Amino acid sequence: MTPVALLLLAAQGFSGTASCAACHGGIARNQARTRHAGALARAADGRWAFGAGAQAITYVSQAGEDAYLEHGLSWYRKTGGLALTPGHGHPAGVTYPTFAPDAAILRCFQCHSTGTLRLTEKREILPAEPGVHCESCHGAGGAHAARPAPGNIVSPKRLSAAALNDLCGACHRMPPAAGVATNFENPWNVRHQPVYFSQSACFLQSGGALSCISCHDPHQDGAPAGDSKCRQCHAEPKHAAPRPGACTGCHMPAVSPSPWLRFTNHWIGVYRLEGPGANRLRPAAQGRGR
Ligand code: HEC
Ligand code: HEC
Ligand code: HEC
Ligand code: HEC
Ligand code: HEC
Ligand code: HEC
Ligand code: HEC
């Protein structure tokens, strides 16, 4: 997609979170406190702060009329201090033309904000609503807000598990398309939860019963359902020996692609976590399912 097409994408019909809140007040109050809502904010000095700060914040600012700088130093919660931004080799940062062919900087704003991006006269990128809010997932809701009716807004409740993976995957990255190879050995890819989750026997063999929202409340942060959810389908797992501890600790192991970041491997499976051949990125063995 060209950068201009990206800017024009779905330009019509967005009405904004405030309009949804008028009728869906409870959901709006919860959603406003989520990391989604805080995924982008303007810092006091005018820089854009990407990331709600649960793990990290990366700063982005305009650098001349047609360029943006992704700062080379990000803030990390783990240390409470600054260190190199993921993918950067130098604290000076990386400058992107605003209209680079891959639209890299526009895409940052697209995934971390809601509605249509605008350009000001000074060619600054201006998100309609910083952060991920209602219409990032429900689509433009102007028609529904003006005349609420079931069916005139995206209702994910009615989507299949695979379609829900895709909805969340629009930002969390899509499950790999058929025939496209994914490097499952690259620990940075673990942060793309739909990619790994789509490989799980639990997802593939549960007849569409398991999706992102089986465990995550889309409107509220907080501990996702883990072990309680596992037990719904695996009341008595066939363990060779007693396996004390959280199911997710062994079957969805944490992966740290850098000393300061931690993600959860969503390829639910049996891992060899210790000793020779230990690997947190790919299951070591398959259960009776395959
Ligand atoms: C004027 C009040 C009003 C406004 C404004 C409003 N809604 Fe609704 N919404 C409703 C009502 C009433 C329903 C239930 C419709 C029904 O089931 O008859 C509903 C249903 C929904 C549903 C479920 C639809 C379905 O098919 O099950 C979603 C999702 C939704 N609203 C999202 C939003 C979003 C997002 C916004 C802001 C863009 C918004 N609403 C603005 C009143 C409103
Ligand atoms: C418009 C882009 C977008 C969409 C669509 C989206 N997300 Fe996110 N999500 C983000 C961003 C950006 C963050 C990072 C927030 C931060 O800075 O911590 C995030 C963070 C999260 C987190 C971590 C917050 C926490 O509580 O730990 C969860 C869980 C999550 N998303 C689940 C989902 C699910 C489930 C869906 C689909 C129903 C979804 N997301 C759809 C962009 C999106
Ligand atoms: C395709 C959508 C997408 C694009 C493009 C994107 N992000 Fe994100 N970003 C996300 C999602 C989703 C998360 C949540 C990751 C998680 O917690 O698993 C996130 C998380 C983050 C975080 C929180 C720390 C972390 O790594 O989880 C920062 C900081 C961030 N993004 C900055 C940026 C910057 C700067 C750019 C542009 C160079 C960018 N993002 C481009 C979707 C995107
Ligand atoms: C990260 C994606 C995401 C965001 C952001 C989001 N929603 Fe939702 N919403 C969903 C999903 C997924 C469902 C289906 C939940 C289910 O079936 O359990 C849903 C369901 C709903 C429903 C129907 C509830 C029902 O019980 O029928 C309403 C109404 C709604 N959302 C309104 C909103 C409003 C208002 C906002 C903003 C304040 C918002 N949503 C933000 C993903 C999102
Ligand atoms: C079987 C339950 C389950 C399902 C299904 C699930 N998650 Fe998770 N998710 C978890 C658990 C458990 C964590 C770790 C939470 C923690 O450690 O605080 C997590 C963490 C996350 C995080 C925070 C960053 C990270 O990687 O630790 C994001 C973002 C996320 N999930 C998104 C998704 C998306 C998108 C989907 C759908 C493709 C999904 N999840 C499906 C259980 C689940
Ligand atoms: C909706 C039902 C469902 C849920 C929820 C579920 N699973 Fe599964 N899981 C399955 C099915 C179906 C299979 C494939 C058949 C089998 O091995 O039992 C499977 C397979 C497995 C396997 C074997 C993996 C392989 O590659 O063969 C493990 C380990 C596992 N699940 C653990 C978990 C854990 C841990 C959780 C919670 C985080 C969980 N499951 C949640 C349905 C589910
Ligand atoms: C200490 C690590 C550990 C914990 C905790 C753990 N498992 Fe396992 N699990 C394993 C290992 C290792 C295997 C492979 C069989 C074996 O060696 O016991 C396995 C196998 C499985 C299988 C595949 C065999 C089958 O029954 O189809 C499932 C499903 C499973 N576990 C589910 C769970 C659930 C649900 C929980 C939480 C109640 C859990 N596990 C807790 C390590 C663990």
Side-chain angles (χ1 to χ4, degrees), residues 230-231 234 237-241 243-247 250-251 270 287-288:
C230 314
R231 286 201 179 88
H234 303 289
K238 294 186 176 52
H239 286 137
R243 303 285 182 201
C247 318
C250 294
H251 294 296
V270 176
R288 63 191 147 84

Side-chain angles (χ1 to χ4, degrees), residues 7 40 46 107 118 129 171 209 219 236 282 284 290:
L7 281 176
L40 178 62
R107 285 180 195 278
R118 289 197 300 114
E129 275 188 85
C171 300
H219 301 136
E236 286 177 49
R282 268 177 184 278
R290 283 190 238 160

